Amino acid sequence: MTYENIKVNSVPSITWNWLKSNNDTVSISSSFIEANAAINEVPAGVTISKGKADKNIPEIISGVFNHSNPKTKDNRNSDGSINEKREYSAIPEGKHPLVDLMDQIVPEENIITISGKVEKPLILNFDFTDSSVSKQLIHAKENSQACVIFVFKGDADTNLFQTKVYAEKNTNIHIIKVQMMGKNSLQLDDTGITAEENANVKFTLIELGGLHVDSGLHVNLNGYQSDFKANTAYITRNEQYLDMNHTVYLYGRKTNCDMQVHGTIENNATKVYRGTLDFKNGCRGAAGNEYEETLILSPDAVNKSFPIILCDEDDIQGEHGSTIGRLSSELLFYMQTRGISKDAAEKIMARAKVQAVMDLIPSDEVKSQITEYLDK
């Protein structure tokens, strides 16, 4: 089964076409199997079953396997002039071809249902040895609380992984993804989240491995005072390509979003980050903030950062920012006076960014796996 030049991680509002960063493009030629997680313990309050989503759960939109809004036109040429015959955003509606592929291979989802206050985290370990597909639906019922951790390892050629989260009223849910794939893998990891009234959703992401990784996040803050916080850390090195497309739509009144991204690019690696806050009409009193900090340790490293705020409401607060650069000469001098070489200082700072996010993970087992991976 072959798919050539498939667009993934499309940004919701297109930028200049000549930047070639409105989406990523992948080609896939693999035979897939369904991936199953190794679970040491299913904590009380969590049930796992196989099936289709309850009809009362709203459609949860994809982050990776998405289409740009076909009604959005951009007729600009690269020099800014207008060409009425061109529409850069002419991406077809309907089901994404890779979603169709996943549905053929895995017609039913792994449904993780959360009830009440779950004391221990649910840890799902995926060791990909063959090209795989997996679909998860996390249904956090009203007033529930839980932490779900996904750990990705292995050196499979291609993995298509989709996680949908529905957080009902007054829920408190923490989703963690730790990616430590082998150096030859293509990983398309999609997360879609819908949050209802007073739902509090946290998302923690650590990206360390893989050859080509697309990480997509789509969040709908539908309910009054729903809240979303994301913390992402990454290290890209050698020939790695990391493409992140994280979008939050604020629909409900007094909703709140905070997205923090911290990482390091080394050698010939490339990192793309599209972070979008979209304030929809009716979200009066909403607040959103996104901030990215990128450490570049090589003149051959490539960084593309696109912090985007879209707004269709006047009574909101929106902030975004991006800091990109090398270690300061003052910091290097300080470390060298204490016997720390330049290379060692760079490794310390790169690891510190991951460590700060790793500290948010409530599992010593998972922390040990990350530490072991970094030590190698």
Side-chain angles (χ1 to χ4, degrees):
M1 195 171 294
T2 301
Y3 292 79
E4 297 289 343
N5 299 320
I6 298 295
K7 292 181 179 180
V8 295
N9 265 0
S10 294
V11 71
S13 180
I14 59 178
T15 62
W16 293 100
N17 192 59
W18 56 269
L19 292 174
K20 301 186 185 302
S21 296
N22 289 321
N23 48 57
D24 189 23
T25 302
V26 297
S27 295
I28 292 174
S29 179
S30 295
S31 297
F32 291 91
I33 62 171
E34 181 178 3
N36 293 303
I39 305 173
N40 294 334
E41 177 185 3
V42 178
V46 176
T47 59
I48 302 176
S49 60
K50 196 82 169 177
K52 295 184 180 294
D54 187 286
K55 63 180 180 180
N56 294 320
I57 295 178
E59 181 182 4
I60 299 174
I61 309 300
S62 170
V64 172
F65 311 107
N66 56 9
H67 293 311
S68 292
N69 186 349
K71 297 179 181 179
T72 300
K73 297 182 180 180
D74 188 345
N75 299 339
R76 294 171 294 183
N77 295 313
S78 60
D79 62 1
S81 61
I82 301 298
N83 184 337
E84 296 295 340
K85 296 182 180 180
R86 300 175 69 180
E87 295 184 11
Y88 294 146
S89 62
I91 299 175
E93 294 185 84
K95 186 181 291 187
H96 191 282
L98 294 183
V99 172
D100 186 53
L101 170 64
M102 289 192 291
D103 289 345
Q104 293 176 33
I105 298 168
V106 184
E108 296 183 320
E109 297 172 308
N110 295 313
I111 300 176
I112 300 170
T113 304
I114 298 167
S115 303
K117 185 177 180 181
V118 180
E119 299 292 343
K120 297 181 180 180
L122 171 66
I123 303 174
L124 298 100
N125 292 288
F126 287 86
D127 190 354
F128 300 108
T129 56
D130 298 295
S131 293
S132 302
V133 170
S134 186
K135 299 191 302 183
Q136 326 291 321
L137 170 62
I138 299 173
H139 182 189
K141 292 193 172 183
E142 187 173 339
N143 298 316
S144 63
Q145 178 178 329
C147 175
V148 181
I149 305 175
F150 296 90
V151 180
F152 304 129
K153 290 183 176 181
D155 202 14
D157 180 68
T158 305
N159 297 307
L160 309 178
F161 199 91
Q162 188 170 51
T163 307
K164 297 179 180 180
V165 181
Y166 181 54
E168 290 190 15
K169 182 179 178 180
N170 298 326
T171 53
N172 193 323
I173 183 80
H174 189 183
I175 305 300
I176 300 171
K177 290 191 170 185
V178 179
Q179 187 270 116
M180 299 180 288
M181 297 295 299
K183 62 182 180 180
N184 298 313
S185 295
L186 167 64
Q187 170 99 345
L188 305 184
D189 179 25
D190 175 54
T191 306
I193 299 171
T194 294
E196 303 295 358
E197 182 179 345
N198 287 316
N200 187 321
V201 181
K202 296 178 182 178
F203 181 68
T204 300
L205 175 66
I206 296 179
E207 298 279 7
L208 299 176
L211 176 63
H212 188 127
V213 175
D214 282 282
S215 166
L217 172 68
H218 181 121
V219 180
N220 282 352
L221 295 179
N222 289 346
Y224 173 73
Q225 288 190 334
S226 54
D227 185 275
F228 177 73
K229 289 183 174 61
N231 286 277
T232 299
Y234 64 87
I235 297 176
T236 54
R237 55 171 65 89
N238 301 323
E239 303 295 330
Q240 285 181 303
Y241 185 98
L242 174 62
D243 189 293
M244 295 179 285
N245 183 46
H246 295 177
T247 304
V248 178
Y249 295 86
L250 297 94
Y251 288 97
R253 293 180 60 247
K254 294 188 178 181
T255 49
N256 183 72
C257 170
D258 182 62
M259 293 196 292
Q260 302 285 326
V261 180
H262 298 268
T264 305
I265 314 174
E266 305 178 21
N267 312 119
N268 299 314
T270 298
K271 184 232 70 181
V272 180
Y273 176 70
R274 308 175 198 86
T276 303
L277 298 176
D278 193 345
F279 294 88
K280 295 298 187 180
N281 183 261
C283 70
R284 296 178 63 85
N289 174 63
E290 59 173 325
Y291 177 71
E292 181 192 11
E293 184 179 78
T294 305
L295 176 62
I296 299 178
L297 298 181
S298 168
D300 298 319
V302 177
N303 177 72
K304 297 181 181 181
S305 298
F306 298 90
I308 300 169
I309 290 182
L310 307 174
C311 188
D312 194 27
E313 180 60 73
D314 54 3
D315 182 17
I316 60 97
Q317 294 180 357
E319 300 179 13
H320 63 180
S322 183
T323 301
I324 303 165
R326 304 179 186 279
L327 290 180
S328 67
S329 57
E330 292 83 2
L331 178 60
L332 286 174
F333 177 75
Y334 174 83
M335 289 190 165
Q336 287 171 345
T337 59
R338 282 149 180 79
I340 302 173
S341 68
K342 179 176 179 294
D343 288 345
E346 290 176 344
K347 290 179 181 179
I348 290 171
M349 296 306 295
R351 186 158 180 162
K353 294 180 184 297
V354 176
Q355 182 70 49
V357 175
M358 189 174 77
D359 289 342
L360 302 174
I361 301 176
S363 167
D364 291 338
E365 172 194 338
V366 176
K367 289 180 182 179
S368 295
Q369 292 184 58
I370 298 171
T371 299
E372 181 181 353
Y373 187 91
L374 291 172
D375 287 343
K376 291 180 180 179

